Amino acid sequence: MDDRIRKKAEKIIGIILDVDGVMTDGSITLDAHGVETKTFHVRDGHGIKLAQRAGLRFAIITGRESPVVNVRARELGIEEVFQGAKNKIEAYDEVLRKWGLTDKEVAYIGDDLIDLPIFRRSGLSAAVADADPETREQADLILSHPGGRGAVREFIEIILKTQNKWKEVTERYYS
């Protein structure tokens, strides 16, 4: 990891996640009754819990609306959830106000053009491996995992390892 990314990651206190294409693979599955389902990767969820153990905060900002997102957020203890955010920067500003943080203290992970305004403002931005090409070009970091397949966990590990918190939060698994 280059020194520029390391310096940015050291300052992170909060992580904001997109959903479709980041926490999920971007597929939208509707049953015959129009009920939407999403598939989330278990290791991403475990990574969020590890990061929370280390004191990091999480928020979700997504352009779509789905009851499943609220269910997953509750499971993970994520209280700040903004759905239907067509202008994501407004939700981003609200999260920063609520948390009392600056741009440099917040990381964001996205996958598409709608995420670019937050990429430009956040202290550390990451694009999933299968993100839109223009979005990847604008990210500080391009992850090796695609959306919904461990990208969130990868991003969290980078931040926690840079902050020397990884060993502390995973110690219980090695003793």
PDB file of all heavy atoms in Angstrom, residues 7-14 92 96 101-107 120-125 163:
ATOM      1  N   LYS A   7      -1.551   7.188   4.976  1.00  0.00           N
ATOM      2  CA  LYS A   7      -1.797   8.427   5.727  1.00  0.00           C
ATOM      3  C   LYS A   7      -3.295   8.735   5.812  1.00  0.00           C
ATOM      4  O   LYS A   7      -3.778   9.189   6.842  1.00  0.00           O
ATOM      5  CB  LYS A   7      -1.042   9.597   5.102  1.00  0.00           C
ATOM      6  CG  LYS A   7       0.439   9.552   5.372  1.00  0.00           C
ATOM      7  CD  LYS A   7       1.171  10.702   4.736  1.00  0.00           C
ATOM      8  CE  LYS A   7       2.663  10.579   4.999  1.00  0.00           C
ATOM      9  NZ  LYS A   7       3.424  11.621   4.320  1.00  0.00           N
ATOM     10  N   LYS A   8      -4.012   8.490   4.740  1.00  0.00           N
ATOM     11  CA  LYS A   8      -5.461   8.727   4.738  1.00  0.00           C
ATOM     12  C   LYS A   8      -6.175   7.734   5.656  1.00  0.00           C
ATOM     13  O   LYS A   8      -7.048   8.103   6.429  1.00  0.00           O
ATOM     14  CB  LYS A   8      -6.023   8.627   3.315  1.00  0.00           C
ATOM     15  CG  LYS A   8      -5.643   9.782   2.428  1.00  0.00           C
ATOM     16  CD  LYS A   8      -6.249   9.621   1.049  1.00  0.00           C
ATOM     17  CE  LYS A   8      -6.029  10.880   0.235  1.00  0.00           C
ATOM     18  NZ  LYS A   8      -7.167  11.166  -0.635  1.00  0.00           N
ATOM     19  N   ALA A   9      -5.792   6.466   5.570  1.00  0.00           N
ATOM     20  CA  ALA A   9      -6.447   5.406   6.355  1.00  0.00           C
ATOM     21  C   ALA A   9      -6.230   5.590   7.856  1.00  0.00           C
ATOM     22  O   ALA A   9      -7.099   5.239   8.654  1.00  0.00           O
ATOM     23  CB  ALA A   9      -5.953   4.035   5.906  1.00  0.00           C
ATOM     24  N   GLU A  10      -5.094   6.135   8.243  1.00  0.00           N
ATOM     25  CA  GLU A  10      -4.798   6.337   9.665  1.00  0.00           C
ATOM     26  C   GLU A  10      -5.793   7.276  10.345  1.00  0.00           C
ATOM     27  O   GLU A  10      -6.023   7.171  11.540  1.00  0.00           O
ATOM     28  CB  GLU A  10      -3.377   6.902   9.833  1.00  0.00           C
ATOM     29  CG  GLU A  10      -2.300   5.883   9.563  1.00  0.00           C
ATOM     30  CD  GLU A  10      -0.900   6.481   9.546  1.00  0.00           C
ATOM     31  OE1 GLU A  10      -0.753   7.729   9.501  1.00  0.00           O
ATOM     32  OE2 GLU A  10       0.059   5.679   9.557  1.00  0.00           O
ATOM     33  N   LYS A  11      -6.418   8.179   9.579  1.00  0.00           N
ATOM     34  CA  LYS A  11      -7.305   9.200  10.138  1.00  0.00           C
ATOM     35  C   LYS A  11      -8.772   8.772  10.211  1.00  0.00           C
ATOM     36  O   LYS A  11      -9.606   9.489  10.757  1.00  0.00           O
ATOM     37  CB  LYS A  11      -7.205  10.471   9.293  1.00  0.00           C
ATOM     38  CG  LYS A  11      -5.828  11.083   9.288  1.00  0.00           C
ATOM     39  CD  LYS A  11      -5.747  12.253   8.328  1.00  0.00           C
ATOM     40  CE  LYS A  11      -4.318  12.748   8.249  1.00  0.00           C
ATOM     41  NZ  LYS A  11      -4.106  13.616   7.109  1.00  0.00           N
ATOM     42  N   ILE A  12      -9.108   7.607   9.675  1.00  0.00           N
ATOM     43  CA  ILE A  12     -10.509   7.213   9.529  1.00  0.00           C
ATOM     44  C   ILE A  12     -11.131   6.821  10.869  1.00  0.00           C
ATOM     45  O   ILE A  12     -10.605   6.013  11.613  1.00  0.00           O
ATOM     46  CB  ILE A  12     -10.648   6.062   8.507  1.00  0.00           C
ATOM     47  CG1 ILE A  12     -10.143   6.498   7.136  1.00  0.00           C
ATOM     48  CG2 ILE A  12     -12.094   5.557   8.441  1.00  0.00           C
ATOM     49  CD1 ILE A  12     -10.777   7.758   6.569  1.00  0.00           C
ATOM     50  N   ILE A  13     -12.313   7.409  11.124  1.00  0.00           N
ATOM     51  CA  ILE A  13     -13.111   7.117  12.314  1.00  0.00           C
ATOM     52  C   ILE A  13     -14.469   6.540  11.907  1.00  0.00           C
ATOM     53  O   ILE A  13     -15.063   5.758  12.628  1.00  0.00           O
ATOM     54  CB  ILE A  13     -13.307   8.391  13.168  1.00  0.00           C
ATOM     55  CG1 ILE A  13     -11.949   8.902  13.672  1.00  0.00           C
ATOM     56  CG2 ILE A  13     -14.264   8.146  14.323  1.00  0.00           C
ATOM     57  CD1 ILE A  13     -12.011  10.273  14.317  1.00  0.00           C
ATOM     58  N   GLY A  14     -14.966   6.946  10.741  1.00  0.00           N
ATOM     59  CA  GLY A  14     -16.260   6.486  10.254  1.00  0.00           C
ATOM     60  C   GLY A  14     -16.164   5.965   8.835  1.00  0.00           C
ATOM     61  O   GLY A  14     -15.373   6.471   8.031  1.00  0.00           O
ATOM     62  N   TYR A  92     -24.567  12.436   3.136  1.00  0.00           N
ATOM     63  CA  TYR A  92     -23.186  12.432   3.625  1.00  0.00           C
ATOM     64  C   TYR A  92     -22.963  13.588   4.601  1.00  0.00           C
ATOM     65  O   TYR A  92     -22.421  13.392   5.697  1.00  0.00           O
ATOM     66  CB  TYR A  92     -22.242  12.530   2.422  1.00  0.00           C
ATOM     67  CG  TYR A  92     -20.784  12.715   2.757  1.00  0.00           C
ATOM     68  CD1 TYR A  92     -19.982  11.634   3.081  1.00  0.00           C
ATOM     69  CD2 TYR A  92     -20.202  13.979   2.711  1.00  0.00           C
ATOM     70  CE1 TYR A  92     -18.633  11.798   3.371  1.00  0.00           C
ATOM     71  CE2 TYR A  92     -18.862  14.154   3.002  1.00  0.00           C
ATOM     72  CZ  TYR A  92     -18.083  13.060   3.321  1.00  0.00           C
ATOM     73  OH  TYR A  92     -16.746  13.229   3.610  1.00  0.00           O
ATOM     74  N   LEU A  96     -21.934  13.425   8.667  1.00  0.00           N
ATOM     75  CA  LEU A  96     -20.805  14.145   9.258  1.00  0.00           C
ATOM     76  C   LEU A  96     -21.256  15.066  10.388  1.00  0.00           C
ATOM     77  O   LEU A  96     -20.594  15.138  11.432  1.00  0.00           O
ATOM     78  CB  LEU A  96     -20.045  14.945   8.191  1.00  0.00           C
ATOM     79  CG  LEU A  96     -18.832  14.234   7.592  1.00  0.00           C
ATOM     80  CD1 LEU A  96     -19.198  12.968   6.874  1.00  0.00           C
ATOM     81  CD2 LEU A  96     -18.065  15.173   6.685  1.00  0.00           C
ATOM     82  N   LEU A 101     -17.727  14.774  12.637  1.00  0.00           N
ATOM     83  CA  LEU A 101     -16.473  14.452  11.970  1.00  0.00           C
ATOM     84  C   LEU A 101     -16.217  15.358  10.775  1.00  0.00           C
ATOM     85  O   LEU A 101     -17.135  15.977  10.250  1.00  0.00           O
ATOM     86  CB  LEU A 101     -16.472  12.989  11.497  1.00  0.00           C
ATOM     87  CG  LEU A 101     -16.613  11.909  12.562  1.00  0.00           C
ATOM     88  CD1 LEU A 101     -16.609  10.525  11.923  1.00  0.00           C
ATOM     89  CD2 LEU A 101     -15.517  12.025  13.603  1.00  0.00           C
ATOM     90  N   THR A 102     -14.970  15.395  10.343  1.00  0.00           N
ATOM     91  CA  THR A 102     -14.593  16.113   9.132  1.00  0.00           C
ATOM     92  C   THR A 102     -14.479  15.114   7.985  1.00  0.00           C
ATOM     93  O   THR A 102     -14.422  13.899   8.205  1.00  0.00           O
ATOM     94  CB  THR A 102     -13.236  16.817   9.315  1.00  0.00           C
ATOM     95  OG1 THR A 102     -12.222  15.814   9.482  1.00  0.00           O
ATOM     96  CG2 THR A 102     -13.257  17.766  10.505  1.00  0.00           C
ATOM     97  N   ASP A 103     -14.401  15.635   6.772  1.00  0.00           N
ATOM     98  CA  ASP A 103     -14.234  14.785   5.592  1.00  0.00           C
ATOM     99  C   ASP A 103     -13.055  13.826   5.751  1.00  0.00           C
ATOM    100  O   ASP A 103     -13.151  12.651   5.399  1.00  0.00           O
ATOM    101  CB  ASP A 103     -13.999  15.633   4.336  1.00  0.00           C
ATOM    102  CG  ASP A 103     -15.223  16.410   3.887  1.00  0.00           C
ATOM    103  OD1 ASP A 103     -16.351  15.928   4.092  1.00  0.00           O
ATOM    104  OD2 ASP A 103     -15.044  17.501   3.315  1.00  0.00           O
ATOM    105  N   LYS A 104     -11.939  14.306   6.274  1.00  0.00           N
ATOM    106  CA  LYS A 104     -10.718  13.502   6.370  1.00  0.00           C
ATOM    107  C   LYS A 104     -10.867  12.301   7.305  1.00  0.00           C
ATOM    108  O   LYS A 104     -10.083  11.366   7.236  1.00  0.00           O
ATOM    109  CB  LYS A 104      -9.550  14.368   6.837  1.00  0.00           C
ATOM    110  CG  LYS A 104      -9.119  15.353   5.798  1.00  0.00           C
ATOM    111  CD  LYS A 104      -7.964  16.192   6.275  1.00  0.00           C
ATOM    112  CE  LYS A 104      -7.607  17.171   5.168  1.00  0.00           C
ATOM    113  NZ  LYS A 104      -6.524  18.053   5.499  1.00  0.00           N
ATOM    114  N   GLU A 105     -11.877  12.326   8.172  1.00  0.00           N
ATOM    115  CA  GLU A 105     -12.076  11.248   9.141  1.00  0.00           C
ATOM    116  C   GLU A 105     -13.067  10.191   8.663  1.00  0.00           C
ATOM    117  O   GLU A 105     -13.374   9.260   9.398  1.00  0.00           O
ATOM    118  CB  GLU A 105     -12.565  11.843  10.463  1.00  0.00           C
ATOM    119  CG  GLU A 105     -11.533  12.759  11.112  1.00  0.00           C
ATOM    120  CD  GLU A 105     -12.095  13.533  12.284  1.00  0.00           C
ATOM    121  OE1 GLU A 105     -13.184  14.147  12.142  1.00  0.00           O
ATOM    122  OE2 GLU A 105     -11.443  13.517  13.347  1.00  0.00           O
ATOM    123  N   VAL A 106     -13.537  10.338   7.418  1.00  0.00           N
ATOM    124  CA  VAL A 106     -14.564   9.442   6.900  1.00  0.00           C
ATOM    125  C   VAL A 106     -14.087   8.754   5.624  1.00  0.00           C
ATOM    126  O   VAL A 106     -13.527   9.390   4.729  1.00  0.00           O
ATOM    127  CB  VAL A 106     -15.873  10.217   6.622  1.00  0.00           C
ATOM    128  CG1 VAL A 106     -16.920   9.325   5.980  1.00  0.00           C
ATOM    129  CG2 VAL A 106     -16.408  10.815   7.903  1.00  0.00           C
ATOM    130  N   ALA A 107     -14.322   7.452   5.559  1.00  0.00           N
ATOM    131  CA  ALA A 107     -14.029   6.667   4.361  1.00  0.00           C
ATOM    132  C   ALA A 107     -15.353   6.297   3.689  1.00  0.00           C
ATOM    133  O   ALA A 107     -16.379   6.166   4.356  1.00  0.00           O
ATOM    134  CB  ALA A 107     -13.261   5.402   4.736  1.00  0.00           C
ATOM    135  N   ARG A 120     -14.991  12.562  -3.939  1.00  0.00           N
ATOM    136  CA  ARG A 120     -14.199  13.793  -3.964  1.00  0.00           C
ATOM    137  C   ARG A 120     -14.067  14.434  -2.594  1.00  0.00           C
ATOM    138  O   ARG A 120     -13.099  15.135  -2.334  1.00  0.00           O
ATOM    139  CB  ARG A 120     -14.795  14.780  -4.962  1.00  0.00           C
ATOM    140  CG  ARG A 120     -14.548  14.379  -6.409  1.00  0.00           C
ATOM    141  CD  ARG A 120     -14.919  15.468  -7.378  1.00  0.00           C
ATOM    142  NE  ARG A 120     -16.356  15.610  -7.554  1.00  0.00           N
ATOM    143  CZ  ARG A 120     -17.085  14.901  -8.403  1.00  0.00           C
ATOM    144  NH1 ARG A 120     -16.521  13.987  -9.151  1.00  0.00           N
ATOM    145  NH2 ARG A 120     -18.382  15.100  -8.500  1.00  0.00           N
ATOM    146  N   ARG A 121     -15.022  14.209  -1.709  1.00  0.00           N
ATOM    147  CA  ARG A 121     -15.014  14.837  -0.384  1.00  0.00           C
ATOM    148  C   ARG A 121     -14.416  13.968   0.710  1.00  0.00           C
ATOM    149  O   ARG A 121     -13.770  14.480   1.623  1.00  0.00           O
ATOM    150  CB  ARG A 121     -16.446  15.191   0.023  1.00  0.00           C
ATOM    151  CG  ARG A 121     -17.112  16.298  -0.764  1.00  0.00           C
ATOM    152  CD  ARG A 121     -17.084  17.628  -0.043  1.00  0.00           C
ATOM    153  NE  ARG A 121     -17.490  17.600   1.340  1.00  0.00           N
ATOM    154  CZ  ARG A 121     -18.741  17.725   1.786  1.00  0.00           C
ATOM    155  NH1 ARG A 121     -19.739  17.879   0.939  1.00  0.00           N
ATOM    156  NH2 ARG A 121     -18.991  17.693   3.083  1.00  0.00           N
ATOM    157  N   SER A 122     -14.644  12.674   0.664  1.00  0.00           N
ATOM    158  CA  SER A 122     -14.249  11.810   1.784  1.00  0.00           C
ATOM    159  C   SER A 122     -12.731  11.716   1.906  1.00  0.00           C
ATOM    160  O   SER A 122     -12.000  11.893   0.936  1.00  0.00           O
ATOM    161  CB  SER A 122     -14.863  10.421   1.629  1.00  0.00           C
ATOM    162  OG  SER A 122     -14.384   9.793   0.466  1.00  0.00           O
ATOM    163  N   GLY A 123     -12.302  11.390   3.122  1.00  0.00           N
ATOM    164  CA  GLY A 123     -10.878  11.273   3.387  1.00  0.00           C
ATOM    165  C   GLY A 123     -10.222  10.113   2.675  1.00  0.00           C
ATOM    166  O   GLY A 123      -9.053  10.177   2.308  1.00  0.00           O
ATOM    167  N   LEU A 124     -10.968   9.031   2.474  1.00  0.00           N
ATOM    168  CA  LEU A 124     -10.463   7.854   1.772  1.00  0.00           C
ATOM    169  C   LEU A 124     -11.619   7.230   1.007  1.00  0.00           C
ATOM    170  O   LEU A 124     -12.639   6.881   1.600  1.00  0.00           O
ATOM    171  CB  LEU A 124      -9.889   6.837   2.775  1.00  0.00           C
ATOM    172  CG  LEU A 124      -9.365   5.524   2.202  1.00  0.00           C
ATOM    173  CD1 LEU A 124      -8.189   5.763   1.252  1.00  0.00           C
ATOM    174  CD2 LEU A 124      -8.971   4.567   3.319  1.00  0.00           C
ATOM    175  N   SER A 125     -11.455   7.110  -0.302  1.00  0.00           N
ATOM    176  CA  SER A 125     -12.506   6.506  -1.123  1.00  0.00           C
ATOM    177  C   SER A 125     -11.999   5.214  -1.731  1.00  0.00           C
ATOM    178  O   SER A 125     -10.825   5.099  -2.090  1.00  0.00           O
ATOM    179  CB  SER A 125     -12.948   7.461  -2.235  1.00  0.00           C
ATOM    180  OG  SER A 125     -11.870   7.739  -3.118  1.00  0.00           O
ATOM    181  N   GLN A 163      -4.224   1.141  10.977  1.00  0.00           N
ATOM    182  CA  GLN A 163      -4.360   1.762  12.295  1.00  0.00           C
ATOM    183  C   GLN A 163      -3.833   0.875  13.432  1.00  0.00           C
ATOM    184  O   GLN A 163      -3.980   1.205  14.599  1.00  0.00           O
ATOM    185  CB  GLN A 163      -5.825   2.123  12.549  1.00  0.00           C
ATOM    186  CG  GLN A 163      -6.354   3.180  11.615  1.00  0.00           C
ATOM    187  CD  GLN A 163      -7.827   3.506  11.869  1.00  0.00           C
ATOM    188  OE1 GLN A 163      -8.516   2.874  12.672  1.00  0.00           O
ATOM    189  NE2 GLN A 163      -8.308   4.513  11.163  1.00  0.00           N
TER     190      GLN A 163
END
